[in-house]
Amino acid sequence: MAYFSKMKGSTKRPPKVNLTEMAWSFFGSFIGIGVVAFINYRTFAGTEFIMIIGSFGASAVLIYGAVRSPLAQPRNLVGGHILSALIGVSAYKLLNGQIWLASALAVSASIFLMHATGTLHPPGGATALIAVTGGPKICGLGYFYVLMPVGLGVLVMLMIALAVNNIPKSRRYPEFWL
C-alpha cells in the first residue's frame, strides 16, 4: 500500500507565472529558436550543414521559460547537450546494427553522465537519442554532430538567453555559471 500511496503526490503544483513573465518567455524562445532556425533554413539551405534539432525546443522551454531552474543554467545547457551528443554518437557507432539497444544506451548513459557531472539538462536525453535515430543526414555527421548542430546551436541559444533574459528588471540569467 505504501508503494501506491506514493503515486498520490506529496506537494502542491507551483504557482502560475504572471502575464509579463509569459510574454518574456515567448519573446526569448521566439528569438532563440527563430535565429537557429533561420540559420538552418536560410544560411545552410542546400548544404550538408544542420543547425537545428528537436531537443532545442525543450531547451528553449527551460532557458527562456524557467530561467531560475538549475536545469536551465549555462553549465547544464552546454554540458548536458555536449556530453549527451558525444554519448549518442558513440552508442550509434558501437551498436549501429542494434538501433534499439543503441537508443536505450545513449539516453541512459547520458542521464548517468549528466548526473555524475552536475550537468543534468533533460533535453540532453533527446540530443543523445537524435544522434542514434536522426536518420542518414544526422547519423552521417558522426562526431561532427557534437560541434554542429549541437555545440553551435546551443551557444547561439545561450547568447540570446543572456541578452533577452536580462532585459526586464524582474529576470536574471544565469543563476550560476559553474
Side-chain angles (χ1 to χ4, degrees):
M1 288 310 257
Y3 174 78
F4 290 108
S5 70
K6 291 183 193 176
M7 296 180 192
K8 292 179 184 174
S10 60
T11 61
K12 294 181 178 181
R13 67 176 173 79
K16 291 182 179 178
V17 299
N18 63 38
L19 187 59
T20 302
E21 194 67 19
M22 287 187 255
W24 279 108
S25 297
F26 173 89
F27 180 68
S29 61
F30 184 85
I31 299 297
I33 292 297
V35 168
V36 172
F38 181 86
I39 294 169
N40 186 74
Y41 293 107
R42 296 292 181 145
T43 306
F44 294 156
T47 71
E48 296 295 319
F49 296 118
I50 300 168
M51 183 70 173
I52 194 164
I53 55 174
S55 58
F56 289 171
S59 289
V61 172
L62 288 168
I63 66 173
Y64 306 114
V67 299
R68 301 192 69 188
S69 168
L71 305 175
Q73 302 309 305
R75 173 189 175 91
N76 300 70
L77 172 70
V78 176
H81 275 292
I82 297 294
L83 292 174
S84 297
L86 282 168
I87 290 172
V89 172
S90 298
Y92 178 78
K93 287 184 174 290
L94 288 172
L95 303 166
N96 190 8
Q98 302 292 323
I99 296 301
W100 70 270
L101 184 57
S103 299
L105 181 63
V107 173
S108 301
S110 293
I111 294 169
F112 183 91
L113 190 57
M114 286 188 287
H115 270 306
T117 57
T119 59
L120 189 65
H121 184 70
T127 295
L129 189 58
I130 290 167
V132 176
T133 64
K137 192 168 184 178
I138 292 284
C139 295
L141 294 172
Y143 285 103
F144 189 70
Y145 172 77
V146 178
L147 298 175
M148 197 167 87
V150 175
L152 185 58
V154 164
L155 287 178
V156 169
M157 291 179 61
L158 175 60
M159 294 299 115
I160 293 168
L162 291 169
V164 171
N165 288 333
N166 288 306
I167 293 172
K169 290 181 180 177
S170 61
R171 279 185 170 216
R172 178 188 183 128
Y173 182 81
E175 293 291 315
F176 60 89
W177 279 95
L178 303 172

